Amino acid sequence: MKLTRRDLLKLAGGGAVGFMFSPIPWKLLRDSSVWTQNWPWIPVPARGPVTTRLTACTLCPAGCGVKVRCVGGQPVSLSGIPNDPITRGGLCAAGIGAHHLAWHPARALRPLQRVVAGRPGEFTDVSHDGALAQIASAILGARGTVAILDEQPGRAISAAYREFLSALPRGAYLAPPAVARSSLAVLRGLYARDPGPLGHDLDSTRLIVSFGAPVLDGWGVPGAVARRVADGDLKVIQVEPCQSATAKRADRWIPIRPGTEGTVALGLAALLVSRGMADPAFLKGDVAGYLDALRGFQPAYVKEISGVDEATLTSIAMELTRSTPAIVVGGGDAGGGPLPRQDEVAIQALNLVLGAVGRKGGILARQGGAVDSFPGLDAAPPPMDIADVPDGSLDVLILDASSSGSALSWPVVASKLAPNALVVSLSPVVADGARYARLVLPTPSPMTLATDVPGHPDAADATLRMAVAFGTPARAAVDPVVFLNRLGTAVGIVRKATAAASMQDLVDQRIAAVHQAGLGTVLGTGDAPEVPVSSLSGASDLGKLLTDGGCWRNRGQADSPLPPHRITAIAAWMQPAPAVRDGYPMTLILTGSRGRAVGAISSPMLSKVDQESGLRQTGQMAAVNPRTAAAQHLVAGKAVVVQTPQGVLAARVKLDPGVPPDCVRLTVAPLLAPGRNDVDPLSLCAVTDRATWRLVEARIREA
Amino acid sequence: MNDRLRRFKGLLALGIRRQKGRVLFLVGLLAVLWAGWVLFPPLMYSSTEQPLKFSHLVHQGKDAALTCNDCHPFRPDGSFAGIPSIKVCADCHGEAIGTTPDEKRLVEEYVTPGKEVPWLVYSRQPMNAYFSHVQHVKTAKIACEECHGDHGGSDELPPFQVNRISGYSRAIGGASTAGKAILPTELMRMDTCAECHEKNGRRSSCLECHK
């Protein structure tokens, strides 16, 4: 039988069909995909004993306790500490992936220098010595201000920064508006003289009325709030224009027109005062001007401006007086920029009207002792708000890599720089502010440097934990204390109070100071007894307890005397309805989740879990109300361009009834590909009213 | 009879000639299916013998009467000890009890110098998989045999097979070739875990095992 070409083709055809029904292609595909995960250059934890250690998270000021599971000494998984007395087992998504950041593709592997006239994020290599010489030369030749921007003031390294700057003729220790102008900093300004640090005492609070603060999305110490809400011990009323993650989980969401938070707060205060529900002690203060101003905020006016009717306003007021202790919090959304100062004053004045300050479950005087100060630096001023720095006045700006958890728009920083100013970033990754810096000096990644972790500065209970170093930092990473020492030598500055050879050395000094003060107790986890610091024989005992996962705590004082309050900032509270600018009929609202509302980096695991699965939007999704979409003929999923006077961003439409009509919402989130094609939504915003970038005029059109 | 056979052969030959194309297609199909299902799977794995012959059956039997927990205990902190260290073997085999050459080697090469036996672990999971024995054995009361099969009753250790491409043990490397376990040691794959969790209404997130 002769085989023809056609016969061979048929034989091959049968073979091809059989091939598809055999395991050969599928097994090879599957095994090859596994093989790609095991290439020799992919780091894998060494085989070794499985151990568990407790440490503290350094990614935001909350300083949550973290349980670390290690294999062969290397962290492989993080979780909250279930019986932690402060965080109650909570740990946010960013914290769970903190150990991945040491391997992030955007990490700085060597000192970098920005390419002249290059785009943000375009760098070339430079030596440590070369970089240091440039910084020293810029500091010595500076005619303007030399500043350090620290987003987590209160750490031991922060004290070293302050001392270094105090030795310079024009040194300025700066913090972002979200920190320097926090809600409680505003509240401190409503007293005749500074009452000292204040903090929220949330252990027995029964109601929080939040004006846009992400109370259930990473605010404060996230686990503590979330657990009380889950247990039904704490109610939340969320007042904000968009239905945020907190608004979805809150007991009530009160939608308001964008930018009317202050009006609603004043309307509530007017209602409480007019119905005799204000705290009698409040009325005895210097508040005549405030009470006069409140007369203008009758329910009809509040409804006209904010859209909140009298019945709703009354129900919130009744709830505030019924569910005591209650507090009112401001601060706004983590991605949307801080609230204007006048709105914060209106919101914090409500706490005084309610008598929430000085009451257990309200706002208490914080007794931080050696944690809120550093020995020898007690007289040092608090950080200055970068928004208060004159425009174009900074000759040298050093950016510390810590994060406040809230977004800081780069234009806010850029507007303060002098022409040819030197911006230096001390950062483990080339992202966020580091992309705009002229020099990037790599610092150890999170979890590779032992450091102190003071708890949330807005908590009534002052706390201190220790972050333990797991493994060694990258070879080129420089300990910030060592950097400061070398820079000091180069410019002739000798630090005395914070003299230390390394970060560990500096942290040991702080622990010694806490021990010497003898205040507070050290909390263990689970059934471990609370140990008074005064009972410890030496600082090394305190250091060991903290390194083993203990948490130093000093309770806020409910009976602490406060100075008389005085509310005088009443100008510009009455506001007309916002005018619509020609060509920009919509309002751009930015939102973001706390801790991740930054243009920085995120664990690749998180981008898989929430961004790529759509659980959290990226800046590339433009959410609009379905009614607005219908009016503008926008279809879900369609490519559009969001345009503001400052820039454009390509996005896809998402329909969301939680967005107010005539508004478009973009999310500030870690960029999936920093420095490539992603556009940071913050770049669309004009910076107004002292570093606020809320409510930007915008339009949306088809791409 | 011969006529009938001849007629049958003739018809067959005629049929083959007439249906030559279909027949060749079928031949190609069957040949590749046979190669894929019979020849290919063993080629995917390299086999290595364990350093010593070991009989679980003997240790479980009347003479020794050991239970799984005697050699594979939970540590006081709840973690699982896994393969016993040489000290556990030395408790009984400080000197040879029997007459087998492998026991002699155990004593001479490992127990006496205090050296660990380099056992090849069939069930060692990849680094990205977290498995808690205590959760399954103590809390869920799952018998060892559910996942390890009758490994405890085996008289000899099967060869240790490693996938030539992925480098994983055959016992754990993803779905088995047929989608079902073929070998008794193929019971510790993710599919098996997922199937059991689904069956018992224990729906888990990815992060529960992949931490």
Side-chain angles (χ1 to χ4, degrees):
Chain A
M1 189 168 61
K2 190 182 171 189
L3 283 177
T4 63
R5 187 173 157 195
R6 179 182 292 258
D7 294 336
L8 288 174
L9 282 173
K10 284 183 177 170
L11 186 72
V17 173
F19 186 72
M20 300 309 287
F21 285 94
S22 80
I24 299 172
W26 319 116
K27 182 76 179 157
L28 287 175
L29 195 65
R30 176 188 287 270
D31 291 345
S32 302
S33 68
V34 176
W35 171 66
T36 62
Q37 297 163 19
N38 290 312
W39 280 330
W41 55 86
I42 295 177
V44 289
R47 292 276 177 195
V50 177
T51 52
T52 303
R53 279 199 80 173
L54 303 182
T55 185
C57 181
T58 58
L59 295 186
C60 88
C64 299
V66 183
K67 189 166 90 172
V68 185
R69 183 172 162 265
C70 301
V71 176
Q74 188 171 339
V76 294
S77 80
L78 311 188
S79 58
I81 303 171
N83 41 15
D84 186 279
I86 308 290
T87 61
R88 302 175 192 229
L91 187 65
C92 75
I96 286 172
H99 59 310
H100 297 168
L101 300 182
W103 310 100
H104 198 281
R107 66 192 185 277
L109 295 171
R110 60 193 77 85
L112 298 169
Q113 178 166 8
R114 178 102 168 260
V115 172
V116 178
R119 288 180 301 134
E122 214 176 323
F123 289 97
T124 181
D125 291 355
V126 65
S127 69
H128 268 295
D129 291 342
L132 200 74
Q134 284 190 53
I135 302 165
S137 161
I139 290 175
L140 292 171
R143 293 185 177 179
T145 305
V146 175
I148 296 178
L149 179 67
D150 182 0
E151 294 205 24
Q152 284 183 22
R155 299 166 298 157
I157 184 65
S158 307
Y161 289 150
R162 284 193 311 176
E163 191 182 9
F164 179 85
L165 291 165
S166 65
L168 290 169
R170 278 180 296 277
Y173 177 53
L174 307 177
V179 175
R181 211 195 315 159
S182 70
S183 301
L184 292 181
V186 171
L187 180 60
R188 283 168 71 174
L190 301 184
Y191 285 90
R193 57 176 195 282
D194 187 5
L198 300 171
H200 295 120
D201 176 36
L202 297 175
D203 278 353
S204 51
T205 308
R206 288 184 58 209
L207 173 69
I208 294 178
V209 174
S210 155
F211 285 84
V215 172
L216 301 175
D217 197 21
W219 180 81
V221 181
V225 183
R227 185 54 56 88
R228 288 206 62 223
V229 169
D231 291 346
D233 296 337
L234 175 63
K235 277 188 185 174
V236 174
I237 297 177
Q238 187 74 359
V239 183
E240 65 179 329
C242 287
Q243 193 181 26
S244 64
T246 295
K248 282 176 187 160
R249 294 172 57 200
D251 295 272
R252 284 178 76 189
W253 168 44
I254 313 293
I256 59 172
R257 292 204 184 103
T260 61
E261 286 87 350
T263 305
V264 176
L266 290 165
L268 271 173
L271 209 62
L272 289 165
V273 170
S274 66
R275 298 197 181 179
M277 294 188 281
D279 179 37
F282 165 74
L283 299 172
K284 290 178 190 160
D286 183 2
V287 292
Y290 173 71
L291 294 177
D292 273 349
L294 287 187
R295 291 197 186 96
F297 289 86
Q298 295 305 311
Y301 172 75
V302 174
K303 186 181 178 190
E304 181 196 333
I305 297 293
S306 69
V308 179
D309 60 29
E310 185 175 359
T312 306
L313 217 54
T314 307
S315 67
I316 303 171
M318 296 302 291
E319 194 74 56
L320 274 169
T321 49
R322 226 179 9 235
S323 304
T324 53
I327 57 169
V328 182
V329 299
D333 186 276
L339 288 173
R341 183 179 165 77
Q342 65 197 39
D343 287 10
E344 277 290 1
V345 170
I347 291 164
Q348 295 309 319
L350 252 181
N351 279 315
L352 294 171
V353 172
L354 290 166
V357 186
R359 181 197 285 172
K360 197 166 166 45
I363 296 164
L364 303 180
R366 184 179 152 99
Q367 311 286 322
V371 167
D372 282 351
S373 61
F374 201 87
L377 286 180
D378 291 343
M384 184 187 199
D385 187 345
I386 191 169
D388 291 337
V389 174
D391 285 356
S393 65
L394 299 181
D395 273 2
V396 179
L397 176 63
I398 298 174
L399 304 169
D400 178 83
S402 57
S403 167
S404 70
S406 295
L408 173 60
S409 170
W410 179 251
V412 174
V413 180
S415 65
K416 308 299 174 188
L417 299 174
N420 298 317
L422 175 67
V423 179
V424 182
S425 174
L426 301 176
S427 172
V429 289
V430 185
D432 207 11
R435 293 177 60 217
Y436 302 95
R438 197 190 302 169
L439 291 169
V440 177
L441 294 178
T443 49
S445 298
M447 301 192 72
T448 60
L449 180 71
T451 181
D452 59 327
V453 184
H456 202 283
D458 284 351
D461 296 345
T463 57
L464 178 71
R465 293 180 194 265
M466 276 294 295
V468 183
F470 293 86
T472 50
R475 204 172 39 190
V478 60
D479 180 329
V481 173
V482 174
F483 164 75
L484 222 48
N485 290 346
R486 293 184 64 197
L487 188 59
T489 306
V491 298
I493 290 175
V494 179
R495 300 192 325 274
K496 289 179 183 163
T498 59
S502 66
M503 182 71 92
Q504 183 66 59
D505 197 6
L506 192 64
V507 170
D508 287 346
Q509 288 180 39
R510 159 155 281 183
I511 290 172
V514 172
H515 178 259
Q516 195 176 6
L519 291 173
T521 54
V522 182
L523 311 171
T525 55
D527 300 329
E530 208 168 323
V531 182
V533 172
S534 54
S535 72
L536 296 170
S537 58
S540 57
D541 292 348
L542 176 60
K544 177 155 187 354
L545 285 174
L546 295 178
T547 309
D548 287 346
C551 175
W552 174 86
R553 178 173 72 177
N554 198 28
R555 289 277 195 186
Q557 294 295 318
D559 50 358
S560 203
L562 291 165
H565 49 270
R566 186 178 64 186
I567 309 178
T568 54
I570 55 169
W573 272 352
M574 299 290 284
Q575 52 181 301
V580 174
R581 182 168 158 164
D582 280 351
Y584 293 96
M586 300 180 78
T587 302
L588 170 63
I589 299 174
L590 292 188
T591 61
S593 65
R594 202 175 141 68
R596 303 190 56 211
V598 284
I601 57 163
S602 153
S603 159
M605 180 190 81
L606 285 188
S607 67
K608 288 276 176 210
V609 170
D610 58 25
Q611 282 174 265
E612 289 174 31
S613 61
L615 285 175
R616 279 198 197 279
Q617 289 178 40
T618 64
Q620 283 66 43
M621 293 297 286
V624 291
N625 189 290
R627 275 190 290 158
T628 308
Q632 299 207 18
H633 309 293
L634 300 172
V635 180
K638 202 164 191 177
V640 289
V641 170
V642 179
Q643 186 169 4
T644 71
Q646 286 68 42
V648 294
L649 181 143
R652 292 196 174 273
V653 173
K654 180 184 177 182
L655 302 185
D656 186 346
V659 178
D662 300 324
C663 292
V664 53
R665 187 184 68 200
L666 292 174
T667 305
V668 183
L671 303 179
L672 290 177
R676 296 198 183 166
N677 297 322
D678 279 4
V679 175
D680 187 349
L682 288 168
S683 65
L684 299 189
C685 301
V687 179
T688 58
D689 190 23
R690 297 176 70 244
T692 296
W693 56 88
R694 289 172 173 269
L695 315 180
V696 183
E697 309 103 327
R699 65 181 170 218
I700 189 166
R701 61 179 166 79
E702 282 184 28
Chain B
M1 187 66 190
N2 283 343
D3 283 352
R4 287 179 68 183
L5 188 63
R6 264 200 301 278
R7 271 183 63 194
F8 174 74
K9 282 183 177 174
L11 282 171
L12 187 65
L14 185 67
I16 288 173
R17 267 200 303 277
R18 282 189 181 167
Q19 301 290 332
K20 192 171 80 177
R22 287 182 187 177
V23 169
L24 285 171
F25 183 88
L26 202 63
V27 168
L29 178 79
L30 292 174
V32 175
L33 283 177
W34 176 78
W37 287 101
V38 180
L39 276 186
F40 170 72
L43 295 177
M44 289 298 294
Y45 298 95
S46 65
S47 284
T48 314
E49 290 299 330
Q50 293 285 1
L52 291 171
K53 284 192 173 138
F54 178 85
S55 169
H56 278 96
L57 191 63
V58 167
H59 288 80
Q60 269 209 120
K62 274 190 292 184
D63 295 339
L66 297 172
T67 65
C68 301
N69 196 50
D70 289 327
C71 299
H72 307 285
F74 286 95
R75 299 190 188 98
D77 66 358
S79 61
F80 183 61
I83 301 291
S85 74
I86 195 68
K87 286 181 190 161
V88 178
C89 305
D91 283 347
C92 301
H93 297 275
E95 289 176 1
I97 303 170
T99 55
T100 63
D102 282 272
E103 194 202 4
K104 192 172 171 225
R105 274 186 56 218
L106 170 74
V107 174
E108 288 174 0
E109 293 178 23
Y110 300 103
V111 174
T112 308
K115 191 176 147 195
E116 294 294 336
V117 183
W119 295 113
L120 301 163
V121 186
Y122 307 103
S123 53
R124 176 162 283 165
Q125 297 290 329
M127 289 307 292
N128 65 345
Y130 171 77
F131 178 84
S132 166
H133 273 93
V134 76
Q135 290 275 14
H136 291 81
V137 178
K138 298 273 185 187
T139 311
K141 310 251 183 271
I142 295 173
C144 305
E145 290 80 10
E146 290 266 341
C147 302
H148 293 278
D150 191 23
H151 197 54
S154 61
D155 197 25
E156 57 183 21
L157 297 174
F160 179 70
Q161 293 186 302
V162 174
N163 188 296
R164 291 180 198 275
I165 298 175
S166 71
Y168 287 162
S169 157
R170 185 165 186 174
I172 58 128
S176 58
T177 309
K180 290 279 174 194
I182 297 174
L183 302 178
T185 54
E186 282 185 352
L187 288 163
M188 285 158 286
R189 295 159 180 270
M190 183 177 137
D191 309 81
T192 326
C193 303
E195 199 176 290
C196 186
H197 276 225
E198 188 75 30
K199 196 170 76 186
N200 291 293
R202 182 73 180 83
R203 307 195 84 174
S204 313
S205 72
C206 306
L207 296 182
E208 204 159 321
C209 306
H210 298 291
K211 300 191 179 192

